Every structure is written in C-alpha cells, then in structure tokens.
Amino acid sequence: MSSSSHLERRGAVYYYRRRLPRHLAERLGQRFVVLSLKTRELKPARYIAAQLDAVVAKMNLDSSDFWISKAQLQDFFRQAYRVHEEIVRRSQAGSMASSRYGATDSPERLNVIEGWVWRLIALQGPGAAVRYEDLEAMREGEVPEALFADVETVLAFHCRPDRIAALRQQVAQMLAEVGAVPSETNIDRAFSAFARAKSEANFRNMPQTDEFDVEAIIADARTDTRSIAWTGQDFSVLPVRAPERLVIPENRPQPVAYPITVEATPAPAPVAAPTPKAVTGDFSVAAIAGKLVAELEQDGTADEKTRRQVRMITDLLSRFLAEERNVVDMTDLAGQDIEAFDMFLRGMGKNYGKAQADKTRTIRELLQRWEKLPASERGLEIKTRNKHYAYLNQLLARARKAGAPISRELTFSEYRVKLKGRARKERAIPAATVFERIFEQPIYTGCAGWDEPFATGPDVFHRAAYFGPLLAHYHGLRREEFCGLMIIDVFAEAIPYIHVRDNELRTLKNAQSERMLALHPELIRLGLLDYAAALKAIGETRLFPELVSPSSRSPLGDRYYDEWKPGLSKLGFTPHMQRHFFNDSLKQSFVHSEMRADLMGHGGKGETEERYANAIGLPLQLQLIANIPVVSAKVERHPIRLIAWVERREIAPWSRAAVAERREATTARRLAKMKLTPRR
C-alpha cells in the first residue's frame, strides 16, 4: 500500500492518520493515531509516512498474536539440536576434524570449546564475554586451562556483528520451519534456545531447563527420522540488522554459573554411504528441447514465432555438439563446449535458415559457406545472441528438471553481452521532410507494373507497399502488425478504426500490443476502407494477400521489406524509423507518455496505468494523432485497383509453389511438343 494513502491535508499541513493494531488500540483506548508531519510539501510528507508505515508493520508483527508459543519453542529447540548434532557427529567421524580456529588438535577438544562458547552466548546473549565466574565454572568442569584462550577466541568470532546477523538469519529460517512468525521479538526470544541447543549438542549432556524437559526433547529428536534439510517453503524474513558490539556494564547482575562435566562418548558406528541412484533417461538436446517447446505451447507462455526460434537454436546446438564436439548427451556438456558454440555463433552467417538446405547441411559445410561471406554478413548481432542464450538457459533448466545431473554453474549467461549507451542514440530519427520523399515514389505517382513498383509508369496498385508506409507513419505500427491485418480487423464505424490483434497470420509481440486505433484521416482519404471492401467482395479475408505464400513460413514483413528495398536503399532509412518518428512527434507535441504507450502498444509503468485505467478512447486518439505531420498531402487519390492475380485469387507468382507450378507447366509443354514433332 502506498504511504500516501495514510496522508491527509489539514489546511496547508500534512498529517499521518492510521488505524492502530488491535493490541495497541485496546491498551491506548483509541482506534486511530493522528500525527502532524509539520510539513507543507508532499514529497517530505510521503517520505515520513513511509517510515511510519514501516514502524507500524513491525509493531503488527511484534503483537502478542504472533508471539512464538511454548510448543513452537520446543519444536525450535528440537530442530536446532538435531541440526547441530549432525554437525558434531560428522566432526567426530573425521569429516570436520581440521580446526577452524587454530589451537585445537582433535574434534573432542573443539566440541568442548564450542560447547562452552555457545553456553556463554545462551546465558549472556550476543555480547557474551568470558568472565571470572565462567573461568571458575570451566575449571570445575575439568576443562584444561590451555583451552581458555581458545574459548575467548572462538567466542569473539561468533560475537562479531556480521556473524550475529548470520546466526539471527538462521534462527529466522528455523522459526519459519516450525510455523512461528520470524519477527524481531521471536528471534530475540529464540536466540538463547538456539545457542543452548548448539551447546548441548556439543556437550551431549543436557540438564533440565525451567521451561521444558530438555532431556526428553533430545531423546525424541534422536528417534526422529525425518530429514533436517530445508524444505524450501516460502516465508518472509524481516531484515536482520547486524548489531554493533555490545558493551556490558561491570555492575550488571550476573547469572549463576553451573559446573558441567565432559563425559567421553563412544564414537558412533560408521554408517555405510548410500548407493547413488543411477541417472536414466534421454538427455539429448533434441529430447529436452521437445519437452521445453511442448510445455511453452501448453502453458501459452510463448507464441509460434518464439517456439520456432527455440526449435531453431536448439537444433543448431544439437548438431554442433554432435558433429564438432562429439557430445550427444547433455550430461556430458562442459564449459568448453559452450565457449565453442559462442565462437560458432559469432562467425555464423546472418542468412542462416533462409535456405531450406541449411537444415540438412553439416556444420562443416555451413562453416565453409560462411567463410566465403563478407564480414558484414557474418556474426549474429548482440541482441540476437542474447536472445538465443536466454532460450538455451531455459533448455539447461528443463534438463535439470528432467533429472540430468548438470551443474548450476554451467550456464550461457556468461556469454550474454550487456549493451552500453542510451537506446535513443542507437538509431537517429529523420526529419519529416525525409518521410515526404516516400510518397513521391512511383508506387504513389504511377509505376510500370505490380512487379516494378519503382519504375515510372501509369499504374497505381493498392497493396501493402501502398498502405504500409501510411499505417507506419500515422499509427506507428510495427511491420508485422500491419502486414498481418485481416479484413475483419478494419471497422467502418462512425469513427473508423483498426483492431490490432492476434490472428491466423501472425501473433503480436506481447499482450499490450493488442489495441484499437482510430484511423487517421489520410488513410481514409486515400481509400483504405474502400480497398478493404473491394477485397471482401471477392471473398478475400487478408488485408494484404500478396504478401502470403503457401510454401513459406517467413514473416510477412520480410516480403514487404523485399518489395520496398529498392526504394529504402535510395531513401536511406528503414521502415522501423517511422515508428520512432511517430512517438517522437507525439512527444514533441506534449502528449503524455501513458497515452503514447497506448497508441504504440507499450505497457504502462505501474498499477495506476495498467490495472486501474482503460486504453484511451477513439475520439481522444483522433485529437492526439492530429499532431503527426501530414507528409502525404501531395498524394492524389486513385480508384481502387487490385493486383490482377490477387483479384483472380491466385497464389503469389513469386512463391516457391507458383515457381514449381510454372516449371512443371513448361516441362509438360516441352514434352508435348516433342511428342508432336514427327521423326525424320
């Protein structure tokens, strides 16, 4: 909850008003607390309110409603004892025989030292020190005086502020395990029991306590066969501050020390190490990638384009590892293999995947072909590599999920490159005069034919190459967004608009890309609505059918780019620059970023913009897009004219299917002519 929700203004001064927790309300006899913040400025008032909110939150957790119960404290002691007893047992077995602090030569001596250290902490708290009474108690307990200095050294180590903070974090974790709230109050109360449990685990001799039967609890703990491993359940641990070194006054009342006798305990019988389970299953890249893609599709977390990219990069990784690194099973993957694949992508041809034969060529054949390419056409861009490595990290995670023993230190993240500099400097935004030149091209003034759009002639065809630049300029649409529009996405209402949404031709980049956009008057003037009606009349469902090929799965925007490429080369910019120009024009006209995000298909900055507000309406959109410079005013409107083969509902003549059909027809005519020719 925002801190400003507890602010109220009385006159010119801000006040903090909040309902008190029940236990405080009953004690003080009032339901609310009202405090003057003594400021007339909103920003300082919000800061002070946030600090007060934090205090109230701590008071709520420290309420008696959340205090640890006696049963929970016993469970806590039992768990702490079992954990530390296991450490002691391993130490005695020799796994921890090496000293951590210096002058100890056996686990038994170390146990005596740590047992006394934890006992002193349990009695005195984090500021414990070795007093005269403690020295006398150790002498009565027959502790060699040679260990006194070691006890002081180890005690000083455990009472360091950073060490106390770490111990309090362990206490908080164990409190959550036994169902208690890990508040500061509960941590303070349980800390002594935590230290006492560690002490008794070292001594193996536990006298009765005032609150519960320690011996009975330990006996119960020794018979408990449940795992002491952390279960991984979610819990909220309050920030644990590292306390400064406590200064204990000399006249402080001292607790009565009691002697303790260290009894020799026979070493437990050695336990045979469990036999590791055999790892079985198909951990090949292809098998794991198949599971990953299937889950992405089932969960709806990735569209078809993303799943296709995942299949492509995982297939390439599988082939590279098998052919170049002799690795088939992902469990055999090593860091050197990942490094080699990174170098492979850095020299990879940018045109990979456009040729169908790339899928059947060997890695060696691909490398030989790429070596012949100029440097400008080799090596994937940083953004593309980063995207592929994100997919491959998902592949590694899915393999671990399937049970593959792959170290978590093995990752592709180290090869992701962090981009530097401001994003707005990556691509310059041309002036409006540059975009005016788009609409001076033969596509708008008259071309030689549908397949010669930049050669001067008498024909003007209405198509994607005609309306695409208009949609990009006046609405800031992405290339795939307007290339994949359907007839049903165009609405000739009182305020004509288009609905940008997922359809059978393409999916959108993200959820916020779906939007309804009021048509700019220039698109209406130049005949977009009439063009859509003409296509609907011939039974067409796609707004730009000339971009679709039945034999290709390439993005429709690729074909659009190929048609405009001669003109773009001459003009010196890319289609995406129009989207940048659209946003910049609105910004320079003082249009708020939230409204620009709605128009461009971007997400809001927070709950206020996303959850609690609808998209801007069509009438307001018309006012906003009126700020876009009109650069197509000189374009004359022509009668709607479709491409002839589109009007006949034929497949695109540039598609592989049409080329193959023409080739077969030519072959048939040649064969027929050979049969009719008389032999001499």
Side-chain angles (χ1 to χ4, degrees), residues 551-570:
S551 58
S552 174
R553 299 177 63 182
S554 298
L556 302 179
D558 288 357
R559 179 62 193 175
Y560 169 81
Y561 182 81
D562 290 341
E563 292 184 355
W564 256 102
K565 188 174 182 179
L568 294 175
S569 301
K570 182 167 55 176

Side-chain angles (χ1 to χ4, degrees), residues 328-376:
V328 177
D329 197 299
M330 290 189 65
T331 58
D332 298 328
L333 191 63
Q336 297 88 338
D337 303 320
I338 295 180
E339 181 180 9
F341 188 67
D342 176 69
M343 298 303 298
F344 173 75
L345 294 186
R346 290 175 180 272
M348 177 180 175
K350 295 181 179 180
N351 60 352
Y352 173 77
K354 293 186 176 181
Q356 194 69 19
D358 285 347
K359 297 182 180 180
T360 58
R361 292 189 176 106
T362 65
I363 298 297
R364 187 56 51 188
E365 290 173 344
L366 290 173
L367 290 172
Q368 291 174 355
R369 291 174 60 86
W370 296 339
E371 288 176 356
K372 300 176 183 178
L373 297 176
S376 59

Side-chain angles (χ1 to χ4, degrees), residues 1 89 315:
M1 180 180 293
R89 185 183 298 115
D315 174 71

